[in-house]
Amino acid sequence: MVVMALGAGIFFYWFSWIFWIIITFLMNKSKFRTVLAYWILLSIIVSPFTLMIGGYSVAMTVFLLLFGTILLLVRQQQIIFNLFKSFTIMVGYTSLLFWEKISPIWIIAPRIILFSIIIGSIVTLISRDFYSRIGICLLGMLVGEVIYSFILASYGLHEHIGEMIFLDTLSWALLLLTILDILHKGKRKISKYNTKLQTKLEVAK
């Protein structure tokens, strides 16, 4: 599969630069925009580095993304409710990882595509605000990745926390949420335009 051949972090780098360009050149100037831009750049910079903590190998990007995600969710309303939603995503993502581990034959598409579509769809259903969706998706998948690695370690199976395939999957999920938000806003603008046009035609009559 082409998707699998292009894995190992390439999508993470591609989409991170795409997000950075969108934020830097399309968002209105604000401190929030500046923080987001630096957050993405730092995530790209530290992605090759790992830390050993208590026998666990953890990508530095995981810490940076987790820290930024918490700050992002704190800015939103209904913090506790969003945490429960993140818990739902965490359980779902962890279950998908174990499903892949136990019954890989049932994975009918590449993980980075299948998992991102499932997680992105669930996040879209349980949350409406775009930034809340991003925060819920990030926190749920990040914590799910950590929990999954901890459970495997209890059975003597140690896996790197935050490996590149995880970052690719996360990037695809975030891209899906971004595209859905753009389509939703576009549909809303077209609807408003049609309403104004109909109003003008009725007045003209």
Side-chain angles (χ1 to χ4, degrees), residues 140-198:
M141 291 185 68
L142 286 167
V143 177
E145 175 77 2
V146 174
I147 296 298
Y148 171 73
S149 298
F150 283 176
I151 294 175
L152 285 184
S154 66
Y155 291 97
L157 302 173
H158 293 276
E159 289 196 6
H160 178 64
I161 301 176
E163 57 187 357
M164 281 301 179
I165 191 172
F166 163 73
L167 296 178
D168 281 342
T169 307
L170 180 61
S171 300
W172 273 100
L174 296 179
L175 181 67
L176 176 62
L177 293 176
T178 303
I179 292 174
L180 290 176
D181 184 69
I182 292 173
L183 292 175
H184 177 70
K185 289 180 178 179
K187 179 182 178 182
R188 191 164 53 188
K189 287 183 179 180
I190 292 174
S191 179
K192 287 183 179 179
Y193 175 77
N194 289 335
T195 302
K196 289 182 180 179
L197 184 59
Q198 289 177 358

Side-chain angles (χ1 to χ4, degrees), residues 93-114:
Y93 181 67
T94 305
S95 301
L96 287 173
L97 291 174
F98 278 111
W99 178 37
E100 180 190 40
K101 195 78 171 178
I102 297 172
S103 302
I105 192 173
W106 291 106
I107 304 299
I108 58 177
R111 181 214 279 193
I112 59 178
I113 300 296
L114 181 62

Side-chain angles (χ1 to χ4, degrees), residues 57-68:
S57 175
V58 187
M60 288 186 64
T61 308
V62 171
F63 291 105
L64 186 61
L65 289 176
L66 188 59
F67 177 74

